Amino acid sequence: MADKEPKVQAALAADAPTTKQTVDPWNVAGEIGADGVAKAINYLTLIDEFGTKKILDEDLARFEKVTGKKPHRFMRRGIVFSHRDLNLILDRHERGEPFFLYTGRGPSSDSMHIGHTIPFEFTKWLQDVFDVPLIIMMTDDEKYIFSEKRTIEEVQRYTLGNAKDIIAVGFDPKKTFMFSDYDYMGGAFYRNVTRMSKHITLNVARAVFGFDGSSNIGKVHFGAVQGATSFASSFPHIFGPNEAVTNLIPALIPCAIDQDPYFRVTRDVAARLHFAKPALIHARFLDALQGPGSKMSASVDTSAIFMADDPKKIKTKINKYAFSGGQETEAEQREKGGDAEKDVSFQYLTFFLEDDEELEQIRKDYTSGKLLTGELKAKCIEELQVYTKGFQERRAAVTDELVADFMSLKKLEWKGNPNPSVVVQKENEAPATGESAGGSTALTQNQLKKIAKQKLIDEKKAAKAAEKAAKAAGGS
């Protein structure tokens, strides 16, 4: 019943040293236990470490009250689990005040996989619910800068293909502006990039992102590029040229939790610039086929279901590679049941099966032993085949001309909240633009320690240099 290969790998790794989980913009890996087995990502730990807020039942209730829409299944099931200032975005929507959505993609392969579609599907739903403009950033420059092997021509080819993938999710071209960093850089956008970069010290970049002396300066600088997209004033063709107004329009950024470090820095800089701080809503990762603690990779075909995979390939991948939480034999499965939390097929159904009651029934049947691993995998295969087929049909209809329209500098059309409530602002009370709008977003304790350590190292180097210079001067 259970997959043997992962158990063999675990046995071979039994003497491996334990390691803590790693979650940053470039690395995602669960904690490795003493048994050598990767554990699932602990998202509650990330909430504490990153200083975000857990999405609670009362937040979901308020979302439904303000928008009139039932929260998305990702929100109901804790897939979208954390936020920064979502409450302030709901306040703005309630009052009919402007904000926009911002998300992005680093083009790194010919086809996106199902894990890539999670933030885009959720963003598309938010766009429909809020009826606001959306900015989609294609970070082709990032993928070149952070890769040892990729060429600029390669990532630009990926940009076009991935843009078509994203459009196939179903975004409204009248409300959406998509751009390539290589093509859009300049003007108001670059002014904000330089504003960002001027306020990010090398010590902060080291502490937040883990850069060291071997990191190229492009990596250090890229945070300013990604951050500047959070500011409405970067897009005067959409929001107008008056920066006194547009700098106070915040973004809501749906993203995976690994992108949060970029925007912690952005929120800190925004406060110093007296710009609206971006709000964020975070999603957890869709595990790789290999199971908990892993992340799908665009460069490893057997780690993921790709949106271009045909039905036969999807079936083969799930049956051959999807980690099972079931027992070794059918008899044991009937007696003991399976572990739905570890089972990749069940986890994929959690993401893609819409019906809450059906999902809960599958969970009960699997954990009780009524449902076998093969039957669970068959249900997962069916759902993924339907999901990818619909996507592929829409993708086939996306033309180069449609991509050009999404990337054109045109006016966008949106309505926002059609029935805003009227809130009378108290005298001398400034409108809120983020948590402690005039303050800064605190760095984590680890980041503060790294900054202090680096400062001490720099001071010692400076002292040695001064001593050396003094000796040289004395001997001349």
Side-chain angles (χ1 to χ4, degrees):
M1 290 296 300
D3 296 331
K4 294 182 180 179
E5 185 179 351
K7 297 197 174 201
V8 172
Q9 292 173 343
L12 292 174
D15 295 328
T18 60
T19 60
K20 294 182 179 180
Q21 70 178 17
T22 301
V23 176
D24 61 40
W26 313 281
N27 304 284
V28 175
E31 177 185 348
I32 305 298
D35 57 0
V37 178
K39 299 180 181 180
I41 301 295
N42 186 329
Y43 292 99
L44 293 179
T45 297
L46 288 180
I47 288 174
D48 291 337
E49 181 182 340
F50 288 179
T52 67
K53 292 183 179 179
K54 188 176 186 294
I55 294 178
L56 305 173
D57 288 342
E58 48 262 44
D59 297 318
L60 299 181
R62 175 139 196 265
F63 186 97
E64 185 165 0
K65 179 182 178 183
V66 170
T67 65
K69 302 291 183 181
K70 180 181 179 181
H72 193 279
R73 65 179 183 275
F74 293 167
M75 301 176 77
R76 303 195 303 268
R77 296 173 188 171
I79 293 168
V80 170
F81 70 99
S82 164
H83 75 96
R84 294 184 186 274
D85 284 351
L86 176 61
N87 55 315
L88 296 180
I89 293 295
L90 292 176
D91 289 345
R92 293 185 71 88
H93 183 69
E94 199 167 34
R95 296 192 294 260
E97 296 173 355
F99 65 94
F100 67 102
L101 295 167
Y102 155 37
T103 194
R105 161 85 179 130
S108 58
S109 63
D110 288 313
S111 172
M112 297 199 311
H113 57 58
I114 57 174
H116 291 141
T117 68
I118 300 303
F120 289 110
E121 182 178 333
F122 184 57
T123 300
K124 194 266 181 189
W125 181 81
L126 289 173
Q127 184 184 50
D128 292 342
V129 168
F130 289 123
D131 194 358
V132 293
L134 164 66
I135 307 296
I136 300 176
M137 179 189 205
M138 303 298 287
T139 59
D140 37 17
D141 54 343
E142 174 204 17
K143 287 303 176 183
Y144 172 69
I145 289 167
F146 281 82
S147 172
E148 295 296 328
K149 297 180 179 180
R150 293 190 184 101
T151 64
I152 290 177
E153 292 74 21
E154 182 182 0
V155 295
Q156 286 183 312
R157 176 170 57 82
Y158 291 151
T159 296
L160 177 60
N162 287 186
K164 291 182 176 181
D165 287 346
I166 293 166
I167 291 168
V169 172
F171 293 107
D172 186 343
K174 294 181 180 179
K175 303 177 190 175
T176 307
F177 173 56
M178 183 187 300
F179 70 95
S180 148
D181 283 352
Y182 278 133
D183 293 339
Y184 188 65
M185 186 65 68
F189 181 41
Y190 188 62
R191 286 198 295 273
N192 279 339
V193 170
T194 57
R195 285 169 176 145
M196 279 284 300
S197 62
K198 187 174 181 178
H199 287 81
I200 301 173
T201 66
L202 182 57
N203 283 347
V204 167
R206 283 171 166 167
V208 175
F209 302 113
F211 298 138
D212 56 31
S214 66
S215 302
N216 67 59
I217 60 175
K219 292 180 180 181
V220 176
H221 182 252
F222 179 73
V225 179
Q226 183 148 318
T229 312
S230 306
F231 305 142
S233 55
S234 294
F235 309 99
H237 68 283
I238 298 172
F239 300 103
N242 187 349
E243 291 191 355
V245 173
T246 58
N247 284 334
L248 300 181
I249 300 175
L252 172 61
I253 306 172
C255 62
I257 187 66
D258 62 331
Q259 296 299 302
D260 186 75
Y262 278 120
F263 299 111
R264 287 204 301 275
V265 174
T266 301
R267 285 166 58 84
D268 184 65
V269 174
R272 295 188 225 173
L273 295 172
H274 304 291
F275 288 9
K277 293 196 287 188
L280 290 96
I281 186 164
H282 305 108
R284 67 181 182 88
F285 307 110
L286 183 63
D287 289 336
L289 289 166
Q290 286 66 35
S294 60
K295 182 186 176 185
M296 291 185 175
S297 170
S299 59
V300 182
D301 185 67
T302 57
S303 74
I305 303 297
F306 287 83
M307 300 308 292
D309 286 349
D310 60 36
K312 183 179 179 181
K313 194 169 187 178
I314 292 171
K315 182 177 181 179
T316 299
K317 283 184 175 181
I318 294 295
N319 283 330
K320 188 174 182 179
Y321 301 112
F323 187 87
S324 170
Q327 304 298 330
E328 290 285 355
T329 67
E330 179 178 337
E332 286 181 315
Q333 175 69 13
R334 295 293 188 196
E335 178 187 355
K336 301 176 182 178
D339 187 337
E341 297 306 312
K342 293 182 179 179
D343 195 289
V344 165
S345 294
F346 182 79
Q347 290 305 311
Y348 287 6
L349 289 174
T350 302
F351 278 77
F352 295 104
L353 185 63
E354 178 63 38
D355 192 309
D356 291 338
E357 292 183 3
E358 183 181 1
L359 181 68
E360 177 59 17
Q361 189 60 53
I362 290 172
R363 187 194 67 78
K364 288 180 179 178
D365 289 347
Y366 188 59
T367 55
S368 70
K370 183 178 179 180
L371 191 69
L372 300 177
T373 297
E375 295 169 327
L376 178 60
K377 285 192 172 187
K379 178 61 179 175
C380 176
I381 290 166
E382 178 186 357
E383 287 297 320
L384 292 180
Q385 287 174 338
V386 170
Y387 182 74
T388 54
K389 180 183 178 183
F391 172 89
Q392 289 165 9
E393 289 173 350
R394 295 190 300 273
R395 173 66 163 77
V398 179
T399 63
D400 290 347
E401 290 74 22
L402 184 56
V403 174
D405 182 52
F406 270 89
M407 292 188 168
S408 64
L409 301 182
K410 64 179 187 292
K411 287 282 187 181
L412 299 185
E413 302 173 16
W414 71 92
K415 296 179 181 177
N417 187 352
N419 300 300
S421 61
V422 178
V423 177
V424 179
Q425 188 172 306
K426 296 179 181 179
E427 189 176 356
N428 298 324
E429 181 180 72
T433 57
E435 274 180 11
S436 305
S440 63
T441 303
L443 298 175
T444 66
Q445 288 297 318
N446 284 339
Q447 290 162 2
L448 291 171
K449 288 179 182 177
K450 287 181 181 178
I451 290 175
K453 184 178 179 180
Q454 187 61 46
K455 184 177 180 181
L456 185 62
I457 291 171
D458 292 342
E459 288 174 351
K460 287 181 178 179
K461 286 182 178 178
K464 286 182 179 180
E467 183 180 351
K468 187 176 181 180
K471 287 181 179 179
S476 60

